[in-house]
Amino acid sequence: MMPRLKQTVEHIGVPRLIIAGFLAIIFVIAYLTDMSVPQLITDSLVRVGMNGILVLAMVPTISCGVGLNFGLPVGVLSGLVGALISMERGLAGFPGLLAAIVFAVPIAVVVGYLYALLLESVKGQEMMVGTYVGFSTVAVMCIFWLMAPFKNPELIWAIGGKGLRFTLTLGNHFGKVLNNFAVFQLFGVKISGGLLGFFLLFCLLIYLFYRTKLGIAMVAAGANPVFARSAGIDVRQMKAVGVVLSTVLAAVGIIIYAQSYGFLQLYMAPLMMAFPAVAAILIGGASLQKATISNVIIGTILFQTLLTTALPVTSRVIQGDISEVARLIISNGMILYALTRPTGGK
Amino acid sequence: MERAQQVLEMKGITKQYFGNTVLNDVSIDLYPGEIHALVGENGAGKSTLMNILFGMPVIHSTGGFSGEILIDGKKVELLSPAEAMQMGIGMVHQEFMLLPGFTITENIKLNRETTRKNALSRLFKSEFLDYLDTPAMRKDARHALDRLDMSIDEWLPVAGLPVGYMQFVEIAREIDKKEVKILVFDEPTAVLTETEADRLLGSLRRLAADGISILFITHRLDEVMAVADRITVLRDGEAVARLNKDEAVVERIAELMVGRRIEKVDLPPRDKEPGDEDLAFTIDNLMVDMPGEMVRGLSLSVRRGEILGIGGLAGHGKLGIANGIMGLYPASGRVSKNGDLIPLNSPEQVLLEGLAFVSEDRRGVGLLLDEPIERNIGVTAMQVQHKFLRPWPRFLSGLRLEDRKELRAYSEEMIRKLDIRCLGPTQPVRSLSGGNQQKVCVAKALALDPEILFVSEPTRGIDVGAKRLVLDLLVRLNREHNVTILMTSSELGELRKICDRVAIVYRGRLAGILPPDASDAEFGLMMAGRVRKEAI
Amino acid sequence: MTQTHDKTVESRPTVSLDMRRMILTNGVPILFLVLSITMALVAGLNITFLLNEVVTRLGRNSLLVLSLLIPVTAGMGLNFSIVIGAMAGQAAAIAVTYWRITGVQGFLLACLLSTPIAAIAGWLAGNVLNRAKGREMITSMILGFFANGIYQLIFLFLVGPIIPLKDPAMLLPQGIGVRNTVDLINISQALDKIWRPVIGGVRIPVVTLLVSAGMCVLIGFLLKTKIGQNLRAVGQDMHIAEVMGIKVDKTRIIAMILSTVIAGWGQLIFLQNIGTLNTYNSHEQVGMFSIAALLVGGASTRRATIWHAIAGVILFHTLFVVSPLAGQRLFGVPQIGEYFRVFVAYGIIAVALALHAWQGRQVRRQEIKEAMLTE
């Protein structure tokens, strides 16, 4: 009995068990303090749909052997540019959202490819270089936002007429179009079919990609580069595919995030974007070498539910907002855990 | 020689790893100022014997050994390298243990620095805060270098020194240890040019004349003849001979090194035996840049339908041949199949030509350890030959997904045919035994329907029973499916067991081709580079 | 051994070669020198103002940058987790403020108090990094973020109910957690104002600068001792050091302890100069700005000297002072200059890390080539 239990624990993973246990406690407290549990679940599901694709963006870089994509802001910025072009044209509703994605993807492909070339030349230090490439790109783009040739008065500062605003309201554009699409109630929980469906659609697309010849080659290149080379696979190219795919997902991810949030945040806002996504996929059970779609789904649900419920529930017990602190400790603790686990061969 | 008390005696040393006896009742002794050579093939047990002498942790964590070690006639227990060092045993490592950014002096005195007290170190009572006494360290280093007749300046950084000099710095470090009376040299000339090697041998003699006893491990027989006072030959974990200098001849040593009983098995006959009139494959002036296994202009013809063995001592390039042709290491030269030139340096092109490779590095190159058996078997054939793919969705013929059904069926067939012991085609290969992993590698190669199969070290690291099965499998493939096989192996015995001919590689070139029933002496000499005999 | 060989090993560079090598090896600081001068000219800055700023910042930041040197020597790269040391310093500063111990005594007590906290934190950090060999930098960075979470947990939620700090002036209105800003009135300028002569219009905090100089001497001394030799050996090759009997893990932990403790003192010097503590922000940028400064001075992830640290502080902070003004002058938008300096800080680290990785690969390639040549 005991060894069986131990095996189950190992299979699920200690950190995941702790977080799931923590969540259970939170829900029990919520129930006992007469909070609306369905409301908590509703909010959590929105956050899951909002962040899901950003977390999904971690999968291709992990499986192609580059590791966690700390350079996520590179893709996020591509997405922001796409969204801005769509808004500058005055597009709204679904066409606006679609246009944002259509404009963002080619930018992300180009930028992602350049980023992949850089990462290739710094093999072994991809995560660290990625972090700071992401940071410096954010800083460069800050200068760009100030000088960019956007004319739509909704986007630029009211005074001076130059430079984009810090936060742009999406209400008149594509704000919440997915959130408000195909909404239905289930046991008092409001579910946005549009938002969650879009996330699941992307999960399915990535799952199918991993069953194509290209996808299988990419996984092989990441799992064992020498094996891949001996099987006639161009390892460099596969890494580029992974990085580009991740960058594209990040671009789409931020657009979905923004439409759900209702605001587009520029300047330093994308700086730390990578860390919650990294933490989520690690909580879902991924390692630096291996990640699956189920890691994404489980991790996003656990992490986002925790963040969403921690604030309202704990504020009943403890004074002050502990959720920000909890986010810092849990997400970084999770990344530390992954970084300090022994890895085979490396 | 029976004059003084021996400095070192190792008596009746027996060592087992996981039930495998790697050393069986080996005894060796050493007199003051003597150079004693220890020769043997790879895997003969030389390094295990030295690990025991050094009290390496790997010995004690695997159950220790039986037998005893005496130093100056007194029995000692050597439980750690530090204790061995204290007993006066020094080791010149095969790989350099030198820090490139440090000077020669700093390297010689590494972690044995001469220090001086200062106010802070007295205050904190910590030796860590003692000042380095650089002048004193330089004096010691100079002295050690002088003993080796090296005039090089002791304050130069090691980075940028010629490799030969690094070897001397390494030796200087050992003789700078005041207590050293036994020095072990593990293949010291492997990385040296011939003139550097000569200088090194000169230093060995000088050190011996100073009274230091030397244990010299090598497989270069001419060096043995040049400096050794006595020679012990190890083979398969046993000391098969101990010769005095005056009774040693190269031919005799070579024969002793490789000789082993061959179990004669009757291989199934073919309708038509392979011959020179029908060549499947020719290699002309092949050069391969594989570190440690360089091929330097090898030419070889392979007959259609044969099993050709490739043998030779480690480091002479036998492993480089297959790795180079398969595009895993930079290669040049002319390689042709059925008269058509094969493009080199592109694994994909080579695979498309109908060549397949079972690598010597099973876990490193051969397998995706965390992926299921079926993925391992199928992935190469899928990537190169577009097997195991089906259009999806039906109307979009451009997009193709993995055909799991077909792959599953094929894997199950392979598992049955090759008798892979597993829980099913979805089991990750990491959890399989070595022999079964090897069979997965073979299945992977077979999925390509190869005309020519390269197999390197097929039985390395797998247990005795599985060895037999793998060799039988190769014979079956050859006889039943008419696959031409080039098998590279360090175990001469297995080459002689199943091959039609055995090619011996020496210093990156073909030394000659022998029939499997040629004498031990012939094989030994050829591997030691003593004769150049043309193909039979 | 003959003379011929010695000559090839020890090539005597000519003067012009020396010049070229100097420019090559000091490319980064020279570039930043030119950039700073150009921007200062564009901004049309008053030289005395600039000098005042730079001298103040030299005193304020040197120790933090110096705290990075030892881990670099030990081969652990840039220690992003010096923020943990900074947190220890801040905790000590809060304590002496609460106890109302003033002046130099207060400052010294804070240093004394921060030492054991930083040492324990450094020991923990060293142990964590020993489990992440080969990716120390990313791990130390995340470790810094993680520690920030713990720090916030302590000072936002535990101070008050668990940690007895009862000064309402220091606590948030609800009585739990330390206020966002703490006026460090007791130790403000404690070191700076001991002796601050004005020379040519420039105020010089002599004692603070002397402390930094003293730390330089101490680090220089340390590297010439047995432990310094061990640190250097471990920094070059952990495997060889281990084989030669040096306790690698222990040495690396010592490096982290020293670094964290010095960073704690450095943060206290920083705070006494500023005079107020932003409880939840003062430490956040410490790691990044110190590292950027060190790199601007010409250091790399493998080699960093005292001179790199000093030159780096001067250059980086000159740029820091002039770039918003230059942005204002050039584009009429001061934020451009501000974002530019943020970009410089991040960009220089990105470039240094990329070079680090790239050089690492070159070295390995060279080694393989050499090994093959000797075959």
Side-chain angles (χ1 to χ4, degrees):
Chain A
M1 191 57 204
M2 275 315 278
R4 193 120 163 249
L5 184 71
K6 205 178 153 199
Q7 218 173 29
T8 320
V9 169
E10 261 170 29
H11 182 71
I12 300 175
V14 179
R16 268 193 283 181
L17 277 178
I18 293 174
I19 288 167
F22 204 56
L23 267 181
I25 294 172
I26 283 182
F27 275 102
V28 169
I29 295 177
Y31 182 75
L32 293 178
T33 53
D34 285 333
M35 288 182 70
S36 161
V37 173
Q39 183 58 42
L40 284 180
I41 296 178
T42 303
D43 292 347
S44 303
L45 283 179
V46 170
R47 290 283 291 266
V48 168
M50 189 169 160
N51 288 280
I53 296 177
L54 287 171
V55 181
L56 193 61
M58 289 294 152
V59 177
T61 46
I62 294 177
S63 46
C64 77
V66 168
L68 298 163
N69 185 8
F70 281 102
L72 202 71
V74 174
V76 166
L77 291 164
S78 315
L80 290 179
V81 173
L84 284 169
I85 297 175
S86 158
M87 291 161 74
E88 171 81 3
R89 299 259 167 120
L91 296 168
F94 271 110
L97 182 69
L98 219 64
I101 294 176
V102 168
F103 289 128
V105 167
I107 301 174
V109 169
V110 174
V111 173
Y113 184 69
L114 293 176
Y115 179 45
L117 288 184
L118 176 74
L119 288 185
E120 172 61 32
S121 66
V122 299
K123 238 188 308 198
Q125 294 286 330
E126 288 101 339
M127 291 192 283
M128 199 64 209
V129 174
T131 308
Y132 273 87
V133 168
F135 286 174
S136 17
T137 321
V138 169
V140 170
M141 288 306 284
C142 283
I143 300 175
F144 174 78
W145 304 137
L146 280 174
M147 315 194 15
F150 287 101
K151 297 279 184 296
N152 191 332
E154 275 185 82
L155 307 183
I156 53 181
W157 292 112
I159 311 154
K162 205 177 176 197
L164 292 159
R165 301 179 187 198
F166 279 126
T167 305
L168 308 174
T169 319
L170 293 180
N172 296 336
H173 301 275
F174 52 83
K176 306 231 188 248
V177 287
L178 279 178
N179 287 45
N180 297 334
F181 181 73
V183 181
F184 57 96
Q185 292 251 348
L186 203 71
F187 306 118
V189 177
K190 231 167 79 180
I191 296 171
S192 162
L195 184 65
L196 288 180
F198 199 79
F199 170 44
L200 292 177
L201 173 73
F202 267 77
C203 289
L204 180 71
L205 285 178
I206 296 298
Y207 171 77
L208 286 176
F209 170 74
Y210 276 101
R211 289 193 53 196
T212 62
K213 180 175 172 247
L214 184 64
I216 288 170
M218 194 181 92
V219 173
N224 184 347
V226 200
F227 175 97
R229 213 153 60 81
S230 77
I233 296 167
D234 185 340
V235 177
R236 262 177 197 232
Q237 209 183 326
M238 288 308 122
K239 282 193 176 181
V241 168
V243 173
V244 168
L245 191 58
S246 172
T247 310
V248 168
L249 284 173
V252 176
I254 191 65
I255 293 172
I256 301 306
Y257 179 93
Q259 73 81 27
S260 184
Y261 187 48
F263 300 97
L264 200 67
Q265 296 170 292
L266 303 179
Y267 296 91
M268 298 306 270
L271 193 70
M272 305 304 265
M273 216 81 199
F275 295 90
V278 166
I281 197 161
L282 293 175
I283 288 170
S287 67
L288 301 185
Q289 291 89 27
K290 208 167 175 179
T292 61
I293 310 283
S294 62
N295 295 148
V296 172
I297 296 174
I298 295 173
T300 314
I301 291 176
L302 283 179
F303 189 55
Q304 291 301 332
T305 310
L306 187 72
L307 294 188
T308 322
T309 53
L311 173 60
V313 175
T314 52
S315 63
R316 300 239 163 166
V317 190
I318 308 167
Q319 283 200 334
D321 177 4
I322 204 165
S323 66
E324 171 62 16
V325 174
R327 187 184 66 77
L328 270 178
I329 294 179
I330 293 170
S331 60
N332 291 305
M334 199 59 228
I335 302 173
L336 270 187
Y337 174 79
L339 284 170
T340 50
R341 267 200 306 184
T343 49
K346 277 196 177 174
Chain B
M1 292 290 274
E2 303 295 323
R3 43 204 154 95
Q5 167 69 49
Q6 293 102 318
V7 205
L8 171 74
E9 291 166 86
M10 295 177 85
K11 285 186 182 166
I13 305 285
T14 298
K15 167 75 192 161
Q16 296 189 324
Y17 277 120
F18 312 108
N20 269 346
T21 305
V22 288
L23 284 176
N24 185 14
D25 195 21
V26 174
S27 298
I28 189 167
D29 59 354
L30 197 57
Y31 286 95
E34 180 193 28
I35 301 180
H36 193 142
L38 189 61
V39 298
E41 272 195 282
N42 301 82
K46 291 173 297 185
S47 46
T48 310
L49 191 62
M50 287 309 109
N51 283 343
I52 289 174
L53 181 58
F54 270 91
M56 294 302 259
V58 58
I59 299 296
H60 302 287
S61 62
T62 51
F65 64 98
S66 63
E68 54 184 29
I69 302 175
L70 289 82
I71 287 182
D72 293 332
K74 283 189 283 289
K75 190 167 185 290
V76 290
E77 295 269 340
L78 300 169
L79 293 176
S80 73
E83 284 177 54
M85 236 178 262
Q86 269 169 19
M87 297 306 302
I89 304 169
M91 169 91 166
V92 178
H93 299 272
Q94 195 171 3
E95 46 172 331
F96 297 138
M97 290 292 162
L98 297 176
L99 297 172
F102 274 22
T103 64
I104 293 176
T105 302
E106 285 173 316
N107 269 295
I108 289 177
K109 297 302 258 183
L110 189 58
N111 206 25
R112 297 184 303 107
E113 291 89 353
T114 322
T115 55
R116 269 187 293 127
K117 292 253 171 272
N118 58 49
L120 268 178
S121 68
R122 282 197 199 95
L123 180 66
F124 288 101
K125 293 203 170 52
S126 167
E127 286 161 20
F128 271 164
L129 292 175
D130 285 348
Y131 244 141
L132 296 186
D133 189 348
T134 312
M137 282 161 59
R138 278 179 63 173
K139 216 176 108 205
D140 284 357
R142 182 72 263 152
H143 179 67
L145 290 170
D146 286 344
R147 275 176 79 188
L148 294 170
D149 199 17
M150 293 279 291
S151 69
I152 189 161
D153 289 314
E154 71 277 6
W155 45 264
L156 287 175
V158 161
L161 284 186
V163 179
Y165 283 45
M166 294 194 191
Q167 182 84 67
F168 281 101
V169 175
E170 189 102 344
I171 299 169
R173 171 154 70 202
E174 293 308 315
I175 62 173
D176 179 57
K177 297 174 185 166
K178 299 288 170 284
E179 66 281 3
V180 159
K181 51 194 174 202
I182 301 164
L183 259 184
V184 180
F185 287 80
D186 187 3
E187 310 264 1
T189 55
V191 292
L192 302 186
T193 64
E194 263 167 51
T195 44
E196 284 171 339
D198 283 345
R199 285 180 47 87
L200 181 87
L201 296 180
S203 303
L204 288 190
R205 284 196 209 96
R206 199 160 28 247
L207 288 173
D210 270 5
I212 292 180
S213 311
I214 291 171
L215 210 48
F216 179 39
I217 302 173
T218 186
H219 48 226
R220 288 195 185 171
L221 296 182
D222 31 1
E223 289 170 1
V224 172
M225 299 304 295
V227 296
D229 297 313
R230 281 188 302 161
I231 300 149
T232 295
V233 184
L234 275 188
R235 188 214 303 155
D236 293 338
E238 289 181 32
V240 288
R242 176 157 317 117
L243 309 165
N244 276 328
K245 189 181 189 165
D246 42 12
E247 51 189 355
V249 231
V250 174
E251 286 79 357
R252 175 90 184 105
I253 302 173
E255 191 180 337
L256 285 166
M257 265 167 69
V258 299
R260 42 165 76 87
R261 282 162 289 132
I262 321 168
E263 359 162 4
K264 196 67 200 160
V265 277
D266 284 321
L267 295 170
R270 303 181 178 89
D271 300 338
K272 174 179 164 283
E273 288 301 313
D276 272 336
E277 66 289 344
D278 187 11
L279 294 177
F281 196 67
T282 56
I283 302 167
D284 191 19
N285 199 25
L286 179 72
M287 312 258 201
V288 182
D289 260 1
M290 177 172 171
E293 285 283 340
M294 302 271 279
V295 182
R296 302 186 170 80
L298 175 127
S299 302
L300 187 62
S301 303
V302 183
R303 298 165 179 173
R304 189 178 312 284
E306 75 172 333
I307 303 182
L308 176 65
I310 302 175
L313 295 169
H316 284 273
K318 66 173 182 301
L319 290 174
I321 300 170
N323 278 295
I325 292 174
M326 296 309 293
L328 298 183
Y329 287 93
S332 65
R334 293 166 59 84
V335 176
S336 44
K337 195 192 88 181
N338 303 333
D340 300 326
L341 222 54
I342 287 179
L344 290 174
N345 300 318
S346 160
E348 194 183 1
Q349 290 295 317
V350 182
L351 292 168
L352 278 172
E353 293 283 347
L355 274 63
F357 178 37
V358 177
S359 169
E360 71 282 358
D361 186 358
R362 197 164 52 230
R363 296 167 72 87
V365 182
L367 295 171
L368 297 169
L369 287 169
D370 291 315
E371 299 286 336
I373 295 173
E374 54 181 11
R375 175 65 67 87
N376 272 282
I377 291 178
V379 69
T380 310
M382 179 194 294
Q383 295 301 325
V384 177
Q385 300 171 339
H386 301 267
K387 282 182 184 167
F388 312 119
L389 287 169
R390 68 187 162 91
W392 189 92
R394 287 279 158 80
F395 51 87
L396 251 176
S397 59
L399 192 64
R400 291 194 295 177
L401 290 189
E402 173 188 31
D403 188 342
R404 288 200 172 157
K405 242 189 249 163
E406 192 192 338
L407 180 59
R408 177 67 49 86
Y410 183 80
S411 305
E412 276 168 353
E413 185 195 333
M414 276 296 161
I415 289 171
R416 221 176 29 250
K417 263 191 172 167
L418 306 190
D419 191 24
I420 302 172
R421 300 290 163 85
C422 61
L423 302 173
T426 53
Q427 188 183 358
V429 290
R430 189 187 289 279
S431 55
L432 296 178
S433 72
N436 284 312
Q437 286 181 345
Q438 188 64 286
K439 287 182 199 161
V440 174
C441 290
V442 174
K444 177 183 90 169
L446 290 184
L448 290 159
D449 283 327
E451 252 179 87
I452 295 166
L453 180 63
F454 288 87
V455 184
S456 291
E457 306 284 8
T459 64
R460 182 187 277 178
I462 64 185
D463 58 64
V464 184
K467 276 184 186 178
R468 233 196 124 83
L469 288 174
V470 169
L471 294 180
D472 287 349
L473 174 64
L474 293 176
V475 173
R476 241 170 65 209
L477 284 178
N478 176 259
R479 298 302 196 274
E480 289 168 18
H481 300 273
N482 207 24
V483 182
T484 306
I485 296 178
L486 274 85
M487 168 165 138
T488 310
S489 175
S490 303
E491 286 196 34
L492 199 53
E494 71 186 28
L495 290 176
R496 294 166 79 179
K497 195 163 150 192
I498 70 163
C499 293
D500 297 287
R501 302 183 297 160
V502 180
I504 299 295
V505 180
Y506 178 75
R507 295 209 168 159
R509 292 191 189 82
L510 183 69
I513 299 180
L514 292 169
D517 51 6
S519 72
D520 288 347
E522 275 180 281
F523 274 108
L525 280 176
M526 202 175 263
M527 287 168 89
R530 272 307 167 104
V531 277
R532 186 170 266 277
K533 191 170 174 184
E534 268 324 302
I536 40 163
Chain C
M1 199 53 38
T2 53
Q3 288 244 310
T4 48
H5 215 102
D6 291 356
K7 259 184 202 152
T8 56
V9 174
E10 169 211 356
S11 63
R12 291 182 197 286
T14 58
V15 178
S16 72
L17 252 176
D18 252 1
M19 270 298 283
R20 253 182 53 196
R21 182 174 298 169
M22 200 202 79
I23 292 173
L24 269 177
T25 50
N26 296 311
V28 176
I30 289 172
L31 173 74
F32 276 89
L33 186 64
V34 173
L35 203 61
S36 299
I37 292 173
T38 319
M39 282 213 206
L41 291 178
V42 169
L45 262 186
N46 178 330
I47 284 288
T48 320
F49 168 77
L50 184 61
L51 275 179
N52 256 317
E53 279 293 320
V54 171
V55 169
T56 310
R57 283 154 183 271
L58 186 63
R60 190 198 285 167
N61 292 293
S62 298
L63 217 55
L64 283 168
V65 179
L66 288 171
S67 75
L68 294 166
L69 297 183
I70 291 171
V72 172
T73 311
M76 302 168 83
L78 302 163
N79 177 17
F80 285 80
S81 64
I82 58 166
V83 282
I84 302 180
M87 291 173 202
Q90 289 177 187
I94 290 173
V96 296
T97 307
Y98 177 60
W99 293 329
R100 296 173 202 274
I101 300 167
T102 54
V104 181
Q105 293 97 308
F107 178 80
L108 288 179
L109 181 66
C111 287
L112 207 62
L113 209 58
S114 79
T115 307
I117 308 174
I120 292 169
W123 180 79
L124 286 171
N127 276 296
V128 170
L129 294 194
N130 276 342
R131 299 185 50 160
K133 285 180 184 140
R135 33 173 193 259
E136 286 92 349
M137 284 192 274
I138 184 106
T139 310
S140 72
M141 188 179 82
I142 302 292
L143 196 59
F145 293 154
F146 178 74
N148 192 22
I150 303 284
Y151 175 88
Q152 290 191 14
L153 181 72
I154 293 173
F155 285 94
L156 273 176
F157 297 99
L158 300 187
V159 168
I162 295 173
I163 299 166
L165 188 141
K166 293 189 182 64
D167 187 347
M170 291 176 74
L171 290 177
L172 288 165
Q174 65 268 34
I176 297 175
V178 178
R179 276 179 192 271
N180 291 340
T181 50
V182 174
D183 192 353
L184 300 175
I185 197 150
N186 297 329
I187 58 165
S188 174
Q189 306 265 310
L191 223 49
D192 290 353
K193 68 183 175 196
I194 295 176
W195 186 34
R196 197 161 29 175
V198 178
I199 299 172
V202 182
R203 278 186 137 188
I204 298 170
V206 176
V207 180
T208 315
L209 291 178
L210 277 179
V211 169
S212 305
M215 184 52 72
C216 292
V217 172
L218 194 65
I219 290 175
F221 163 80
L222 210 59
L223 291 179
K224 289 204 183 76
T225 62
K226 173 68 182 129
I227 182 70
Q229 192 78 354
N230 286 4
L231 285 166
R232 295 204 300 138
V234 169
Q236 287 205 25
D237 193 315
M238 275 189 272
H239 173 63
I240 293 179
E242 187 86 66
V243 172
M244 299 313 292
I246 296 172
K247 294 200 170 71
V248 171
D249 282 2
K250 195 179 152 198
T251 308
R252 285 160 54 99
I253 289 173
I254 290 176
M256 286 304 290
I257 292 177
L258 289 173
S259 172
T260 315
V261 168
I262 298 173
W265 298 340
Q267 183 72 356
L268 281 168
I269 288 187
F270 179 89
L271 290 175
Q272 64 86 32
N273 177 270
I274 301 274
T276 50
L277 166 67
N278 281 318
T279 315
Y280 305 107
N281 301 107
S282 283
H283 56 280
E284 276 195 323
Q285 305 284 38
V286 158
M288 195 200 52
F289 282 148
S290 306
I291 283 168
L294 185 64
L295 294 171
V296 167
S300 72
T301 52
R302 288 170 204 279
R303 208 177 90 85
T305 65
I306 291 161
W307 299 114
H308 291 144
I310 295 170
V313 174
I314 294 173
L315 287 172
F316 184 71
H317 284 283
T318 308
L319 200 70
F320 214 85
V321 174
V322 298
S323 59
L325 295 158
Q328 168 76 43
R329 272 287 177 89
L330 275 182
F331 304 99
V333 191
Q335 290 103 314
I336 288 188
E338 262 167 49
Y339 289 128
F340 179 73
R341 72 186 185 191
V342 175
F343 165 68
V344 166
Y346 289 138
I348 183 80
I349 299 178
V351 169
L353 294 171
L355 278 178
H356 165 78
W358 187 72
Q359 281 166 347
R361 287 180 66 192
Q362 297 303 308
V363 169
R364 241 167 292 141
R365 219 175 270 167
Q366 190 63 32
E367 276 168 6
I368 291 170
K369 220 180 235 170
E370 272 164 18
M372 280 179 4
L373 282 177
T374 57
E375 277 272 317

